[in-house]
Amino acid sequence: MMNSSLPEKVKLLSMLTEIYDQLEELEIVLEASFSDLRIQMNTEEQKKLSAPVQRLTMLEKELDRINPPSHGHNNSVSRALKLEMGF
C-alpha cells in the first residue's frame, strides 16, 4: 500500500513544484509590468504638473508687466503663489 501511494505523492510534488515555478515567473512579469506602468504614470503626472507651472509663470510675468513690482516684492509673491499651489 505504501508503494502505490509513493508515485502519487511524487506526481503531486512535481505538480506543486511546477505551479510554484510558474508563480515565480508570473511575479517577475508582473513586477516588470508594474514598474513600467509606474514610470509611465510618473511621466504623465510630471507633464500634467508642468503645464500649471508654466501658466503661473506666464501670469506672473504678465502681472509684472501690468503692475511692476516694488523692490524685492516680486520674489516673495512668486514664491508664495508657487508654495500655495504645492510647487
Side-chain angles (χ1 to χ4, degrees), residues 72-85:
H73 180 67
N74 180 37
N75 243 358
S76 62
V77 171
S78 174
R79 270 187 263 136
L81 284 174
K82 287 183 180 177
L83 286 174
E84 199 171 311
M85 289 188 65

Side-chain angles (χ1 to χ4, degrees), residues 48-60:
K48 288 178 186 177
L49 291 175
S50 67
V53 170
Q54 290 173 352
R55 279 186 264 154
L56 179 60
T57 302
M58 287 175 22
L59 287 172
E60 289 172 345

Side-chain angles (χ1 to χ4, degrees), residues 5-86:
S5 68
L6 188 61
E8 288 193 23
K9 287 180 182 179
V10 170
K11 185 177 178 181
L12 181 60
L13 184 60
S14 173
M15 289 171 56
L16 289 173
T17 302
E18 186 177 329
I19 290 171
Y20 180 81
D21 291 343
Q22 289 175 357
L23 287 173
E24 280 188 327
E25 289 176 23
L26 179 61
E27 179 183 19
I28 292 168
V29 170
L30 286 174
E31 188 175 319
S33 177
F34 280 121
S35 177
D36 290 345
L37 185 59
R38 249 183 263 115
I39 291 169
Q40 179 185 352
M41 288 176 67
N42 283 340
T43 302
E44 289 173 6
E45 288 302 311
Q46 288 299 321
K47 287 179 185 177
K48 288 178 186 177
L49 291 175
S50 67
V53 170
Q54 290 173 352
R55 279 186 264 154
L56 179 60
T57 302
M58 287 175 22
L59 287 172
E60 289 172 345
K61 287 179 182 178
E62 183 67 17
L63 182 62
D64 287 346
R65 189 183 65 78
I66 294 170
N67 185 18
S70 58
H71 200 52
H73 180 67
N74 180 37
N75 243 358
S76 62
V77 171
S78 174
R79 270 187 263 136
L81 284 174
K82 287 183 180 177
L83 286 174
E84 199 171 311
M85 289 188 65

